[in-house]
Structures are given as structure tokens and as C-alpha cells.
Amino acid sequence: MPIAKKKKRAAPTYASYIHKVLQQLSPRDFTGITISSKSVQLINGILNDLEGRISDKAFALSRFDKKSTLGPAHVKSAVSVLFPLELSRHAASEILKAEQKYLSSQSVPAH
């Protein structure tokens, strides 16, 4: 009986997010300016690479802590190890914001 091959999962695409972020940067300064599909592919590749590096380091840190669940502290530590100081500080504040937003969405209002 032949063994079925596992299909490799396609890397996520950030194309729609890239367009949204570019629109938020300065809409009145960049009116009518677009980004080429090649540029979007390049940025998408960079983001996939960064995602992989952060997740690899965060999982290594969670294994070092002997934890089976990856938490925000592992991601924050991975970012601070991988990025320069100012960038890691900004990323840490964004991680904290995302964590608070997630936790507030999980709370059930008391009636």
C-alpha cells in the first residue's frame, strides 16, 4: 500500500495588508501612487522570512522554558533577541497592545 505524501502548506500572503499599511502611511502624499505586484511579492517574502525567524526563536525559547504552549512572553523575547533595540521596543509595545486586545475580546460581559 503506497504511503500518501503530505502536501506542503503554502506560505501566507500579506498582499492585502501591505496595501492597507501603505494607504495608512500618508494618504494625501501618496494619492494616485500604487505598488507593483513584484514589489508586493518582495515585501511578502521578507515578511514570511521574519515570521519564520520569530516563530523559530520563540519556539526554541518555549522549549528552553519546558513549556508546551507558546506565549506572548516567548514572542516578545524572540523579537528582542532578533531586532535592534529601538525596533524591538516598538514591537514589544505592539505585542502588548495585541495581547490586551485579544484578552478584552475573550472576556464575557457580566449581566
Side-chain angles (χ1 to χ4, degrees):
M1 179 183 280
I3 298 174
K5 290 184 181 179
K6 277 190 172 181
K7 289 186 180 181
K8 190 172 185 178
R9 179 184 278 188
T13 179
Y14 298 100
S16 62
Y17 303 109
I18 292 168
H19 288 289
K20 288 177 186 177
V21 168
L22 288 176
Q23 287 175 351
Q24 289 176 355
L25 287 177
S26 184
R28 96 187 133 187
D29 292 341
F30 297 111
T31 304
I33 296 177
T34 59
I35 184 169
S36 69
S37 61
K38 290 275 187 186
S39 298
V40 170
Q41 287 176 353
L42 180 68
I43 294 172
N44 190 54
I46 292 169
L47 292 174
N48 282 329
D49 179 55
L50 289 175
E51 178 191 17
R53 289 180 190 205
I54 292 169
S55 63
D56 288 346
K57 183 62 77 172
F59 280 119
L61 290 168
S62 69
R63 283 192 301 267
F64 180 77
D65 286 344
K66 297 179 182 162
K67 302 281 185 185
S68 60
T69 305
L70 184 67
H74 297 119
V75 176
K76 185 178 174 184
S77 298
V79 167
S80 64
V81 168
L82 292 171
F83 294 110
L85 182 64
E86 192 61 36
L87 190 56
S88 66
R89 284 182 183 167
H90 178 68
S93 70
E94 292 297 321
I95 291 169
L96 182 62
K97 256 198 307 191
E99 181 183 15
Q100 289 172 344
K101 184 177 178 179
Y102 172 76
L103 291 175
S104 68
S105 72
Q106 295 299 311
S107 63
V108 178
H111 287 125

